[in-house]
Amino acid sequence: MLWACILLPQLALDAVLRRLPDPARPLALVGGPAQLRTLHAVNAAAAAAGLRAGMRLTAAHALLPEAALVDHDAQAESRWQQFLAAWAYRHSSQVGAQWPGCLLLEVRASFGLLGPWPRIEARLREELTALGFSHRIAMAPTPRAAHVLAGLRDGLSVSNPAAIRELLDRVPVRRARLPDDTGERLHRMGLRDLRSVRALPAGGLRRRFGAALLDHLARLYGEADDALTLYRPPDRFDLRIELGYDVESHTPLLFPLRRMIGDLCTYLSIRDGGVQRFTLRLEQETAHTDVDVGLLAAERAPGLLFELTRSRLERVQLERPVLALRLIAHELPPFVPATRDLFDVRTQQNLPWPQLRERLRARLGDAAVHRVAPTCDPRPERAWRRVDADGGAIAPAPPRPPRPAWLLPRPVPLRDVRLRLVAGPERLESGWWDGEDARRDYYVLETSQGQRAWAFAPPGEQGGWMLHGWFA
Amino acid sequence: MSRDDAVVGVDRDTPGGRPPRAWEVAQRLGLRAANDDVADDLPAYAELHCLSDFSFLRGAASAEALFARAAQCGYEALAITDECSLAGIVRGLEAARATGLRLIVGSEFALSCGLRCVLLIENQAGYVRLCELITRARRAARKGEYRLGRDDLADVLAARAGETGSCGLFVLWLPAELPDAAEARWLQGLFGDRMHLAVELHRDRDDAARLARLLALAAELDIEAVAAGDVHMDVRRRRALQDTMTAIRHNTPLADCGAHLFRNGERHLRTRRALGHIYPHALLEAAVRLARRCTFDLDQIRYAYPAELVPDGHTPASWLRALTEQGMRERWPGGVPANVAAQIDGELALIAELKYEAFFLTVEDIVRYARSRGILCQGRGSSANSAVCFALGITVVNPAESRLLMARFLSRERNEPPDIDVDFEHERREEVLQYVYAKYGRERAALAATVIRYRGKSAVRDVAKAFGLPADQVALLAECYGWGNGEAPMEQRLREAGFDPDNALIARVLAVTEQLREHPRHLSQHVGGFVISDAALSTVVPVENAAMPDRTIIQWDKDDLETMRLLKVDCLALGMLTCIRKAVDLVERHRGYRIDLAQLPPGDAPTYAMIQAADTVGVFQIESRAQMSMLPRLKPKDFYDLVVEVAIVRPGPIQGDMVHPYLRRRQGKEKVTYPSVDIRAILEPTLGIPLFQEQVMELVIHAGYTAEQADGLRRSMAAWRHGGDMEPHRVRIRELMEAKGYSSAFIDQIFEQIKGFGSYGFPQSHAASFAKLVYISCWLKRHEPAAFACALLNAQPMGFYSPSQIVQDARRGRGGRIGIEVRPVDVTCSDWDNTLEGGYVKRGVDDGGQAALRLGLRQVGGLSEAMAQAVLAARVQRPFRDVRDLCLRAGLDERARRALAEAGALQTLAGHRHAARWAVAGIERQRPLFPGSPDEDAVALPAPTAAEDVLSDYRATGLTLRTHPLALLRGQLRQRRLLDSRQLERLPHGRQVRTAGLVTQRQRPATAKGTIFVTIEDEHGMVNLVVWSDLAVRRRKALLGARLLAARGRWERVDGVRHLIASDLADLSHLLGELQTVSRDFH
């Protein structure tokens, strides 16, 4: 076997840079607790100005105030490593992604299909560059050797076992990717390359550095096998169909859509699963439009899924021509067929609430269906907010004096010469922090028609009423 | 350059010189005294429930603001009822005196069961009870919190033996939103008819309904209802600040804080007209009636100094005299000079008149204890440098020697408490504190509090968080308030940090920040101010827990104590005293003689020669770069010159532009003249230039001020810093001085200096005490360099210099000062401390025979003292055979083993470092089964190179005894045509030069207008760089980032002071590789 190692020296940084219009602007990733923000990584422009990883944010700021700062996402590295593993899977069926910051590919098996190593290497580099990830690539007979070589010099490839041993012997201990701080400790004992380490008695080494060092060396030199956990593509459905022509209306989309839904259902039935939520992506010249489809329970009936998707699709305004369709399904729970009562008494008018909600959302759009939750804001007009219909539990409202059931969207003048004060004032002075300080005296009033109104006046006054709600 | 360099890095310690706060408050409120005494038909009112800003993060207004407002509204009285605290009550008293409005003392409590009430004090007995109650509640909880149960309240209220009459307290019940009658009945059981129901209406719900309900309840239970305000602020517009404080307290952004915020701004001191509309008049009258029954006045507090120090048969006065006379016999064995005896008589009479004997006796007792335990100490302060204190051994400053002006010793007119701070060895001060606790008991002795207030940086951080800004922006905003900004206006700083000052949100954050600034945040412990009382302290002031275990603090700070006329003794920690004591011990052991610090020969010529050459690394006070650049110009030649030297590099003389005239006169470049013959006596010691605060006071008194007016001036000086008004003084002084015929320029100068002193007054009385330590430390450095360097290393961390710099300086020697041998740390002979080895008995004036300095295990980075002690214990049993023997017998853990190997401390046992690292790595975690576990085959490892060893030395110990890193790089540096510091020394003034060195210090003094001072070091010594602000901006990266800095520029040497005025900088750190260096930046 021959292993290629793709080293990704600045994975987290690249992940941020690739989405920026001008990656040449100085940029730093910032991490650490609020009191001690430090730089996690910096790009070339920032490094040129003297910024370094590990530097205090404030020091960095003193050096280069205009540097763009992005929060470092600790999860990003492993997420993007997985992303790239999926990409690498196209080039090799044996991909390892368990060592941080690098990918391993068995490439000998791919020679027949993809051509000799230089060609594979060139292709890997080309695609990585296009994806926007900096990289170093090396090839060697063992994964560990490839890993070490990639760190030594970009582009090294050695397949001859004798040559690789010779080369490894000359590797400085601190760059041999030895476990933990072993490399540094060996270096400080005056041992500079692997040859001199291997020349030492194994017993003495084991005693000082444990079995891990000897294991590492054996695997590095190919004297023992490296048990890599190989990458497996995730369980998800992702299908893309290029239309081959510009589509500017809905109808021509329906046929490919029916095909894709069919494929999805086939896939689902092979897995014996269903789908609860999926996205139809309409890809356009520079952007795309997502049509999200959510279901109450896992389904896999093609007819139902197609109808649901169609009704959603037809509400989308196609402002730009669609070039491709993509169907992405993440939530693929096991399928549990609904048990039907023998004597099904449900009628169209008697839908259970969740189903009704789904239907309303399908008809009116997600934005039209929502729940109402109280907030802490003292101003009545901000005392509640809309929340997503699927959201979890809603916290109880903070205690407040009685409030009318019907709050007007905005206060309107109340003109009635025969108002009677029922209760009040309740003085509200709050909300200054967002620039909309409210200062009002609220009263409960009875109008000449006998209605109970909730209205306010400027503090200390009893006139110029503004009606804000009605008590039922 | 050069003139302004004297101004670099001014020392800012500020002993003395601040006016009492009460005086400032009176000044401020007096100016505003616009009371509307006009009779009106508004209802009378007294507020009984009001929180000041000492209910931390609840009350939004200071007592001062509250009283000003209450007086303006024509209230009859105002209660300050901070939550379980009397920390703000003295401020209340000061404001009450200034406004003429009566203060009612009280406190608000929330019991653990949820019951809330306010206790108001009727009389002295009630005050004692309240102090006890607060003490009990505070001591039962962590710092800053309290816990009070119903039992505690009942307990404290229970009548005590021999007590007649009432409990002296009234209680206001604060019913919850749904009043619980059971609470009321319980309180009623405890207080009977001293219980009242507080009706607090804030228009935040249906006031009419609430009022009806509470009145019905009051009638049902037969309790009198009174109106109260639950006041949290003086005026309504403080609402934003109060809301923000609430958000900070709950650590929740404002937008999510609704449930905790008050719904409106009604909790302020409302006008009587407004109150009249809200409350039935009967309730307002009830509040006034209750207020009138609270007759307690805080002035009634009786405080007595401990009496036990006086033996039977003596009065405090006679005992003080006896001790003084005993001391006089020791100080002047040949008989007391007549003028000194007269001075002592005068001082004793004044002490007796002001009844301060007990205070002097207490200080004497503490000092005597310290001396008996061999703890070095020294008093300072205006009262300390008196003949009595010299006789009592409180200070070693001989009043005859320091030409002190004694006016400030104590003043009859000012009626000011005596000012004595005692410095102790910093490592042993705790023993002294424990002695005080043990002698008087924890009930009678406690530390004063320090009020920690919001500063710009802490305020903006909390406010920005309350506005919900993300962490990065909070950090950047806080940085805008930090040091690194010189004097750039805030708007510019914000723009540089990427904020838009015109943005509404940022503007709001900044506006609230400005309001929060200076607000108290919490109580902390004073650095060393002890309050000792004859009776239990908790009958005078509540006591609470400090952050340190076994420490208790009283709720008052030093200004409160001053107002309440409680005396405090400042027991401070001073590193240099530790160093001196250790050096004296070392000299005795290795040089065979005991130095008597009081009898050290004055005027030692070699010591002064060393000082004049600015060879002062490590000595007390005059070691900073600013001081060092002054020394060669001022050329101190006697003790008084040292007093001047200590005092001159301070903002007072600098701001008053007194430094250069004084220097010119000293150097004989200018004739010494006096503004008038009359004041020659005042200014003669300082060549006609006033340098000390005392001199300025003497001048204005001479011009015609009374002692009292002069004192007023001194106080205005400090107030001026906070925006106080100096104009009346300026006009008056000008008039008086013009009448005396002084030149206009001189008067202006005096006045500038007065303002300078206002910021950082440095009185001669402190300078004299400091100068004594300066002389002692310099004498030691000059004549016993080994002992001094060793003691200095053992007293670290202190001072300006790193151990590396201290060691280099000691090895190098300079002028007549002998360089000493320093030996590396070695596990077979080093102690924990640095030690001396060898040394010969001193013969005559010969300084030869210095011992060698053996570095101690304390210099080994990462080695704990416990592990080091284990090594020493094992070594005492028998010497170590090899590394294994060491590790097993001393039970060293892995970290300790590695630390020793890294530091090169195993050289003797294992050979070079590579071998030592290999050896320690091979030690099994556990003791082998068989004593002689099989030896390994010997492994031959290559020896480290010289550079590697230097690298390891720095990494492990922060210093090296081998080659200086720059010596290793010298070849490369020479290729770059960079000179070393020894070559620079030989160059004449004005030459263009290039040099490089390790950066050891960066400074940006506030007085230097953006100029940065950098000190670099090479194998021969240090070079001072001056970097003007334009270059600093241009080469920011190199300046702030470089560890090895190269500089090009003009070499200046004037009056023995040498600098390089940089015209360009470059970062050469890459040459250092992995070398870790330390720089002391922007302290």
Side-chain angles (χ1 to χ4, degrees):
Chain A
M1 289 202 284
L2 281 177
W3 291 87
C5 176
I6 302 175
L7 214 55
L8 303 158
Q10 45 174 39
L11 189 51
L13 189 65
D14 287 338
V16 173
L17 289 174
R18 66 202 295 274
R19 64 169 199 242
L20 295 182
D22 182 10
R25 270 194 58 207
L27 174 128
L29 298 191
V30 186
Q35 303 285 357
L36 192 81
R37 304 288 285 167
T38 48
L39 303 194
H40 181 81
V42 299
N43 71 351
L51 268 52
R52 293 185 314 275
M55 193 179 241
R56 289 283 305 270
L57 174 63
T58 45
H61 199 82
L63 275 177
L64 190 66
E66 65 270 24
L69 303 173
V70 176
D71 247 336
H72 170 55
D73 170 7
Q75 306 299 313
E77 261 169 69
S78 73
R79 215 168 43 235
W80 285 98
Q81 195 185 13
Q82 289 301 312
F83 168 82
L84 288 170
W87 159 81
Y89 201 62
R90 286 194 235 161
H91 300 280
S92 166
S93 60
Q94 296 190 56
V95 173
Q98 87 215 68
W99 298 342
C102 74
L103 292 173
L104 297 155
L105 289 75
E106 203 291 315
V107 286
R108 173 163 280 166
S110 308
F111 285 176
L113 195 64
L114 304 173
W117 168 242
R119 197 180 299 167
I120 297 181
E121 183 187 353
R123 190 154 153 186
L124 293 174
R125 287 184 191 278
E126 191 183 316
E127 293 187 14
L128 280 168
T129 307
L131 284 169
F133 287 95
S134 40
H135 52 270
R136 298 163 68 94
I137 299 181
M139 186 192 70
T142 69
R144 271 173 218 247
H147 193 203
V148 169
L149 261 45
L152 283 181
R153 181 149 60 79
D154 191 17
L156 257 185
S157 74
V158 181
S159 46
N160 179 324
I164 189 74
R165 270 197 297 280
E166 171 64 22
L167 183 60
L168 286 174
D169 270 350
R170 285 186 284 123
V171 170
V173 284
R174 288 192 288 189
R175 302 180 68 182
R177 305 206 176 261
L178 302 180
D180 305 325
D181 61 346
T182 303
E184 182 62 35
R185 288 176 61 203
L186 285 166
H187 180 82
R188 292 205 196 168
M189 290 172 184
L191 299 161
R192 294 299 140 91
D193 54 24
L194 290 183
R195 188 200 310 273
S196 52
V197 175
R198 276 160 58 93
L200 291 171
L205 284 176
R206 183 176 298 112
R207 181 166 172 164
R208 285 167 179 81
F209 302 100
L213 171 62
L214 298 175
D215 283 355
H216 179 88
L217 290 175
R219 288 173 179 170
L220 181 60
Y221 279 82
E223 293 154 6
D225 277 343
D226 220 333
L228 284 185
T229 313
L230 294 178
Y231 169 81
R232 277 185 52 227
D235 290 344
R236 51 175 276 182
F237 182 84
D238 189 344
L239 182 66
R240 183 166 178 274
I241 293 183
E242 287 208 31
L243 299 172
Y245 47 90
D246 293 0
V247 175
E248 300 192 23
S249 66
H250 292 109
T251 325
L253 293 175
L254 294 180
F255 177 72
L257 175 64
R258 192 185 291 276
R259 276 265 293 275
M260 292 174 98
I261 297 282
D263 289 348
L264 171 64
C265 293
T266 312
Y267 171 79
L268 292 174
S269 59
I270 291 168
R271 293 171 41 96
D272 196 19
V275 64
Q276 191 154 13
R277 183 169 289 276
F278 57 92
T279 303
L280 176 67
R281 180 164 294 174
L282 312 177
E283 295 187 8
Q284 290 133 336
E285 185 74 53
T286 52
H288 61 73
T289 308
D290 278 355
V291 179
D292 289 316
V293 183
L295 291 105
L296 184 60
E299 281 293 350
R300 71 172 185 228
L304 185 145
L305 293 179
F306 176 70
E307 283 304 319
L308 206 51
T309 315
R310 183 170 84 161
S311 68
R312 293 297 182 89
L313 176 63
E314 282 172 353
R315 281 202 310 275
V316 175
Q317 293 274 324
L318 294 181
E319 278 157 4
R320 275 167 298 184
V322 178
L323 305 175
L325 286 181
R326 187 168 165 197
L327 194 62
I328 309 157
H330 295 284
E331 290 180 32
L332 305 173
F335 175 66
V336 182
T339 49
R340 305 257 162 181
D341 195 305
L342 188 56
F343 305 99
D344 192 350
V345 293
R346 279 183 301 177
T347 65
Q348 286 296 92
Q349 286 76 27
N350 203 3
L351 280 177
W353 156 242
Q355 217 161 321
L356 173 64
R357 187 183 73 201
E358 286 307 320
R359 180 165 297 184
L360 286 172
R361 284 170 61 176
R363 287 264 176 249
L364 306 171
D366 283 338
V369 181
H370 56 78
R371 296 199 292 170
V372 173
T375 70
C376 283
D377 202 296
R379 289 161 290 186
E381 62 274 26
R382 293 172 193 239
W384 57 277
R385 64 194 162 97
R386 294 176 178 195
V387 293
D388 196 13
D390 308 330
I394 288 180
R400 291 199 177 105
R403 290 284 178 259
W406 181 7
L407 191 73
L408 301 186
R410 65 182 57 81
V412 295
L414 174 66
R415 296 199 180 83
D416 188 332
V417 284
R418 287 172 50 212
L419 287 168
R420 190 174 70 82
L421 290 187
V422 179
E426 175 196 331
R427 181 162 292 179
L428 178 82
E429 292 173 305
S430 204
W432 55 273
W433 51 86
D434 55 15
E436 302 199 9
D437 196 14
R439 298 198 57 209
R440 311 162 188 162
D441 277 356
Y442 277 95
Y443 290 85
V444 181
L445 303 172
E446 198 174 87
T447 65
S448 46
Q449 274 90 46
Q451 295 156 302
R452 289 241 157 158
W454 199 51
F456 64 81
E461 292 178 30
Q462 291 185 354
W465 298 109
M466 294 297 285
L467 178 68
H468 207 169
W470 294 107
F471 285 93
Chain B
M1 129 118 237
S2 28
R3 307 185 81 224
D4 279 330
D5 195 45
V7 179
V8 176
V10 168
D11 299 326
R12 279 173 190 274
D13 339 0
T14 315
R18 250 194 92 249
R21 188 190 60 223
W23 183 87
E24 288 180 39
V25 172
Q27 292 293 303
R28 278 198 296 273
L29 287 181
L31 294 173
R32 276 196 230 156
N35 204 339
D36 47 349
D37 264 11
V38 198
D40 53 39
D41 53 356
L42 297 171
Y45 184 60
E47 181 55 65
L48 298 175
H49 183 197
C50 171
L51 303 183
S52 80
D53 51 1
F54 275 78
S55 296
F56 301 120
L57 292 177
R58 286 187 67 203
S62 65
E64 203 175 311
L66 291 166
F67 268 89
R69 165 78 181 176
Q72 191 193 2
C73 291
Y75 283 16
E76 192 176 306
L78 176 64
I80 296 292
T81 57
D82 284 315
E83 184 173 2
C84 193
S85 177
L86 290 178
I89 207 67
V90 179
R91 288 152 212 267
L93 175 68
E94 288 157 4
R97 283 179 187 160
T99 52
L101 190 68
R102 203 157 62 78
L103 166 73
I104 297 171
V105 181
S107 182
E108 180 196 290
F109 295 91
L111 271 48
S112 359
C113 62
L115 187 156
R116 292 181 65 235
C117 63
V118 172
L119 294 181
L120 297 172
I121 294 174
E122 180 190 19
N123 56 31
Q124 177 96 32
Y127 181 78
V128 171
R129 281 212 159 89
L130 186 68
C131 288
E132 274 180 33
L133 190 68
I134 295 174
T135 301
R136 182 190 281 233
R138 290 274 175 190
R139 294 291 310 271
R142 288 185 315 164
K143 166 182 151 56
E145 299 172 3
Y146 69 97
R147 188 161 58 235
L148 192 66
R150 289 192 179 190
D151 294 348
D152 298 313
L153 188 55
D155 237 31
V156 172
L157 281 173
R160 277 173 273 169
E163 198 176 61
T164 54
S166 67
C167 65
L169 290 166
F170 294 107
V171 66
L172 292 186
W173 176 46
L174 306 172
E177 191 166 348
L178 292 173
D180 177 359
E183 281 184 353
R185 288 200 191 89
W186 181 78
L187 275 179
Q188 223 171 356
L190 218 54
F191 286 90
D193 62 357
R194 308 184 140 259
M195 180 214 179
H196 297 72
L197 189 158
V199 178
E200 305 190 321
L201 303 175
H202 296 115
R203 291 176 161 154
D204 49 3
R205 49 177 79 89
D206 192 343
D207 276 359
R210 170 94 177 153
L211 177 63
R213 178 175 210 165
L214 290 179
L215 289 181
L217 191 63
E220 181 193 329
L221 297 169
D222 192 20
I223 316 172
E224 186 173 19
V226 300
D230 190 20
V231 172
H232 282 66
M233 45 202 160
D234 54 342
V235 288
R236 191 188 295 277
R237 66 168 176 277
R238 204 83 65 186
R239 175 160 61 91
L241 177 63
Q242 211 282 327
D243 283 348
T244 310
M245 286 178 156
T246 305
I248 295 171
R249 198 170 77 243
H250 290 283
N251 198 13
T252 309
L254 275 161
D256 300 334
C257 221
H260 303 297
L261 299 179
F262 292 129
R263 295 184 54 74
N264 57 39
E266 289 293 300
R267 282 170 174 79
H268 66 280
L269 291 168
R270 291 174 282 190
T271 60
R272 286 182 291 143
R273 185 184 306 282
L275 291 165
H277 287 140
I278 294 169
Y279 290 98
H281 283 207
L283 292 187
L284 298 176
E285 284 155 19
V288 172
R289 268 201 311 280
L290 181 54
R292 287 184 186 155
R293 289 175 69 190
C294 295
T295 53
F296 174 72
D297 183 345
L298 208 49
D299 276 336
Q300 297 163 0
I301 298 293
R302 287 283 159 263
Y303 159 78
Y305 224 69
E308 64 249 62
L309 294 169
V310 182
D312 290 342
H314 269 288
T315 64
S318 70
W319 183 235
L320 183 63
R321 177 166 284 278
L323 287 175
T324 308
E325 283 169 354
Q326 186 190 330
M328 287 158 74
R329 283 191 291 279
E330 285 163 22
R331 288 286 194 202
W332 292 278
V336 184
N339 60 339
V340 174
Q343 188 180 343
I344 286 182
D345 279 341
E347 289 177 7
L348 284 176
L350 189 55
I351 292 171
E353 185 187 329
L354 298 173
K355 298 201 170 46
Y356 286 138
E357 299 97 338
F359 176 77
F360 282 85
L361 287 172
T362 311
V363 175
E364 193 271 342
D365 176 65
I366 295 173
V367 167
R368 185 146 40 108
Y369 167 79
R371 204 147 286 149
S372 75
R373 303 302 304 266
I375 301 171
L376 211 52
C377 61
Q378 178 171 242
R380 63 189 157 94
S382 56
S383 309
N385 293 341
S386 56
V388 167
C389 284
F390 183 64
L392 289 175
I394 293 170
T395 172
V396 291
V397 177
N398 185 338
E401 189 186 15
S402 60
R403 300 178 222 175
L404 280 174
L405 297 156
M406 295 313 297
R408 279 200 72 216
F409 161 59
L410 277 176
S411 155
R412 231 175 243 105
E413 290 78 14
R414 286 201 299 270
N415 203 2
E416 203 179 41
D419 165 25
I420 299 186
D421 299 346
V422 189
D423 293 317
F424 296 92
E425 292 176 41
H426 71 318
E427 287 177 3
R428 300 187 63 189
R429 182 181 71 134
E430 190 59 31
E431 295 173 40
V432 177
L433 299 191
Q434 292 306 329
Y435 167 75
V436 175
Y437 276 131
K439 180 165 181 108
Y440 301 100
R442 284 181 181 272
E443 306 75 45
R444 296 171 54 207
L447 285 173
T450 298
V451 181
I452 305 298
R453 289 173 180 275
Y454 273 105
R455 301 289 171 223
K457 201 168 173 171
S458 50
V460 80
R461 183 175 283 139
D462 276 5
V463 171
K465 255 166 66 186
F467 274 84
L469 294 186
D472 285 351
Q473 292 202 21
V474 172
L476 289 177
L477 266 179
E479 206 52 37
C480 291
Y481 284 81
W483 60 262
N485 297 288
E487 287 165 12
M490 181 56 76
E491 189 177 315
Q492 184 191 332
R493 299 186 210 174
L494 288 167
R495 287 195 197 285
E496 282 179 6
F499 293 100
D500 174 9
D502 301 329
N503 172 292
L505 174 65
I506 296 299
R508 271 194 293 275
V509 169
L510 298 187
V512 178
T513 298
E514 280 316 305
Q515 293 182 47
L516 185 62
R517 231 190 236 252
E518 293 301 316
H519 265 266
R521 195 179 186 198
H522 61 265
L523 289 187
S524 175
Q525 75 181 49
H526 186 265
V527 288
F530 251 113
V531 180
I532 306 168
S533 132
D534 202 31
L537 263 177
S538 64
T539 61
V540 180
V541 52
V543 177
E544 61 178 68
N545 294 330
M548 280 170 77
D550 289 339
R551 280 283 166 85
T552 46
I553 58 170
I554 61 170
Q555 283 190 328
W556 290 345
D557 75 356
K558 67 177 175 60
D559 291 331
D560 296 332
L561 296 174
E562 197 168 331
T563 303
M564 299 304 294
R565 308 192 49 76
L566 266 61
L567 292 181
K568 96 176 161 10
V569 184
D570 275 335
C571 299
L572 306 172
L574 193 61
M576 184 46 75
L577 285 171
T578 311
C579 170
I580 290 174
R581 201 256 311 152
K582 290 182 172 182
V584 168
D585 290 350
L586 285 167
V587 167
E588 184 168 22
R589 207 168 320 133
H590 292 270
R591 303 273 287 148
Y593 71 109
R594 178 88 198 164
I595 298 170
D596 180 355
L597 294 176
Q599 305 296 332
L600 210 57
D604 179 63
T607 302
Y608 281 105
M610 182 186 86
I611 293 172
Q612 289 174 8
D615 178 17
T616 52
V617 168
V619 305
F620 191 57
Q621 285 280 314
I622 59 168
E623 62 165 352
S624 72
R625 178 168 160 173
Q627 291 277 6
M628 276 194 186
S629 69
M630 184 65 73
L631 289 169
R633 295 184 230 178
L634 200 131
K635 293 208 185 307
K637 55 181 182 348
D638 59 23
F639 179 71
Y640 193 76
D641 288 344
L642 291 182
V643 179
V644 169
E645 173 74 35
V646 166
I648 200 168
V649 188
R650 313 257 168 199
I654 290 168
Q655 216 162 313
D657 204 12
M658 301 296 183
V659 178
H660 295 295
Y662 179 79
L663 281 177
R664 281 197 298 276
R665 289 181 179 199
R666 269 204 69 102
Q667 291 165 349
K669 293 178 187 166
E670 187 179 298
K671 205 168 154 278
V672 177
T673 58
Y674 299 94
S676 78
V677 257
D678 306 343
I679 55 174
R680 186 180 173 128
I682 302 171
L683 296 182
E684 195 156 29
T686 52
L687 309 180
I689 309 286
L691 293 177
F692 299 108
Q693 189 174 311
E694 288 92 337
Q695 288 175 310
V696 174
M697 290 301 112
E698 291 287 320
L699 282 179
V700 296
I701 289 172
H702 185 265
Y705 261 38
T706 63
E708 216 161 7
Q709 283 171 321
D711 203 50
L713 167 66
R714 190 170 59 82
R715 291 166 178 190
S716 297
M717 271 156 41
W720 174 79
R721 187 171 18 148
H722 304 295
D725 190 10
M726 291 278 283
E727 201 49 32
H729 284 296
R730 188 214 263 301
V731 173
R732 176 101 182 99
I733 291 173
R734 177 162 282 279
E735 271 172 18
L736 288 168
M737 289 196 166
E738 271 171 355
K740 292 259 175 192
Y742 299 149
S743 78
S744 181
F746 179 77
I747 301 172
D748 285 342
Q749 230 176 346
I750 289 285
F751 211 78
E752 276 309 305
Q753 194 177 0
I754 287 175
K755 289 199 285 190
F757 282 138
S759 320
Y760 302 98
F762 204 84
Q764 191 186 11
S765 51
H766 285 271
S769 287
F770 278 175
K772 202 78 198 177
L773 297 183
V774 169
Y775 181 71
I776 293 171
S777 57
C778 288
W779 191 93
L780 285 168
K781 181 181 169 79
R782 174 63 182 79
H783 294 291
E784 295 295 345
F788 182 72
C790 182
L792 191 56
L793 286 175
N794 289 339
Q796 291 294 312
M798 58 170 278
F800 275 78
Y801 298 95
S802 66
S804 172
Q805 288 168 304
I806 294 168
V807 166
Q808 288 179 52
D809 178 70
R811 293 175 83 196
R812 244 178 239 136
R814 194 166 132 189
R817 177 170 65 87
I818 296 171
I820 60 161
E821 182 191 347
V822 181
R823 296 174 181 166
V825 55
D826 183 338
V827 78
T828 62
C829 52
S830 286
D831 275 352
W832 166 249
D833 276 332
N834 300 285
T835 50
L836 294 185
E837 293 178 350
Y840 298 106
V841 172
K842 180 177 169 110
R843 257 174 268 133
V845 293
D846 180 18
D847 293 333
Q850 290 290 320
L853 170 56
R854 169 69 70 183
L855 295 181
L857 294 173
R858 66 185 297 149
Q859 305 301 139
V860 176
L863 182 71
S864 68
E865 184 168 1
M867 280 291 149
Q869 294 299 349
V871 170
L872 301 181
R875 194 171 72 196
V876 170
Q877 289 167 356
R878 60 175 186 277
F880 301 120
R881 198 156 31 88
D882 54 18
V883 171
R884 169 194 295 277
D885 184 38
L886 160 74
C887 295
L888 295 184
R889 284 205 291 124
L892 295 186
D893 61 18
E894 185 154 345
R895 183 178 152 85
R897 293 202 295 263
R898 284 200 198 180
L900 287 172
E902 287 300 321
L906 304 178
Q907 178 95 26
T908 319
L909 297 179
H912 57 71
R913 268 201 179 87
H914 288 164
R917 289 176 185 137
W918 176 262
V920 297
I923 306 298
E924 290 102 337
R925 269 152 238 269
Q926 261 143 25
R927 210 172 260 276
L929 275 180
F930 306 101
S933 89
D935 278 338
E936 296 183 298
D937 298 337
V939 167
L941 297 168
T945 64
E948 282 169 346
D949 263 329
V950 168
L951 208 66
S952 301
D953 284 342
Y954 267 90
R955 188 165 45 213
T957 62
L959 59 92
T960 187
L961 301 178
R962 301 168 211 267
T963 326
H964 191 279
L966 282 216
L968 295 172
L969 296 176
R970 188 48 68 195
Q972 295 182 58
L973 298 176
R974 211 171 285 134
Q975 280 175 2
R976 290 176 159 82
R977 295 185 293 120
L978 295 164
L979 303 180
D980 64 39
S981 61
R982 199 164 48 186
Q983 290 169 307
L984 288 183
E985 289 287 306
R986 289 196 288 259
L987 291 179
H989 174 78
R991 190 69 68 84
Q992 285 294 324
V993 297
R994 299 151 61 93
T995 187
L998 298 179
V999 178
T1000 57
Q1001 196 170 8
R1002 298 177 176 93
Q1003 273 183 292
R1004 182 182 350 221
T1007 44
K1009 302 181 188 75
T1011 304
I1012 294 186
F1013 298 89
V1014 182
T1015 306
I1016 59 174
E1017 167 198 296
D1018 68 9
E1019 65 269 45
H1020 303 296
M1022 288 181 276
V1023 175
N1024 291 325
L1025 306 182
V1026 177
V1027 182
W1028 302 128
S1029 58
D1030 57 333
L1031 177 62
V1033 170
R1034 207 150 36 86
R1035 290 282 180 255
R1036 200 174 196 176
K1037 183 178 156 195
L1039 180 64
L1040 299 181
R1043 292 176 294 142
L1044 176 55
L1045 184 68
R1048 182 163 61 85
R1050 191 177 132 91
W1051 179 244
E1052 301 233 342
R1053 52 190 303 170
V1054 180
D1055 300 337
V1057 184
R1058 300 173 179 84
H1059 305 276
L1060 200 163
I1061 313 297
S1063 56
D1064 204 356
L1065 301 172
D1067 183 354
L1068 297 182
S1069 306
H1070 57 278
L1071 296 181
L1072 292 173
E1074 297 171 43
L1075 186 77
Q1076 290 168 358
T1077 59
V1078 186
S1079 172
R1080 193 186 136 93
D1081 294 339
F1082 306 115
H1083 274 250

